[in-house]
Amino acid sequence: MTSRVTLISPAISAALREARFDDGCPLDASGLKLARASAEALPPVDRAWVAPAVRCRETAKALDLDATVVPELAGLDVGRWRGATLAEVSTQEPAAVGEWLADPDSAPHGGESVRHFCDRIAAWLESAAEPAGRGVAVVEPDVVRAVGVRVLGAPESAFWRIDVPPLSTTELSGRVGRWNIRLGQPLRRPTASP
């Protein structure tokens, strides 16, 4: 049986605008407005999940999803870098950032390696496929990257090569061990036919 899972990245927040590692900040007013305006673009779903991050939960609520918070969908744990911008960390710890970006097994921040993170997200994806039907999950952009890496069988170094815009969708269809992926579609309201 075929399962369908749509991943939705959260609307814009100050952390996303500033390229800051998530520190629990909420959506900004424009992000909240865009998420609310996109709610009717969602197809009917059988189940909905949301990552525990504030911006993901607020996006799910604005999209009018009755979503279950799933701890396994938390974004990449960046340890002591949480709340800092990539520019700040690159200035303070250039060698550590270089190592982290080059080696998927590295976690100089004291958090989680990219490889471990991709494994965690892949395990969730396989559990999400169990019941056939349509599901939607509002997740951090790095979760979408991890799914892309695993579904395509790409090396973890490809993680950094996937851009995920705010309020974009990534659609998966298939079953355990065999997924097809459609990346980066904007979440938009349907337009009226002429």
Side-chain angles (χ1 to χ4, degrees), residues 10-152:
I12 197 76
S13 66
L16 286 174
R17 284 188 197 284
E18 298 165 6
R20 183 168 19 105
F21 296 111
D22 184 38
D23 59 356
C25 79
L27 297 179
D28 62 23
S30 66
L32 190 57
K33 181 179 178 181
L34 283 172
R36 286 182 180 143
S38 300
E40 66 187 53
L42 290 176
V45 297
D46 300 308
R47 56 204 183 281
W49 307 277
V50 63
V54 171
R55 62 187 177 199
C56 291
R57 288 183 286 124
E58 288 184 352
T59 299
K61 183 177 179 182
L63 292 171
D64 202 27
L65 290 170
D66 184 19
T68 302
V69 176
V70 179
E72 294 84 4
L73 288 175
L76 177 66
D77 177 1
V78 293
R80 70 177 180 278
W81 294 351
R82 187 171 192 259
T85 66
L86 183 57
E88 291 167 344
V89 175
S90 294
T91 299
Q92 296 166 359
E93 301 180 55
V97 171
E99 175 188 337
W100 182 58
L101 294 174
D103 180 2
D105 290 312
S106 174
H109 42 59
E112 176 176 40
S113 73
V114 168
R115 186 176 318 278
H116 181 266
F117 176 66
C118 288
D119 289 344
R120 173 167 57 89
I121 298 305
W124 171 81
L125 181 59
E126 296 310 309
S127 72
E130 291 306 319
R134 183 178 295 274
V136 64
V138 179
V139 295
E140 293 290 343
D142 49 358
V143 171
V144 177
R145 287 185 194 104
V147 166
V149 164
R150 286 296 190 246
V151 166
L152 296 173

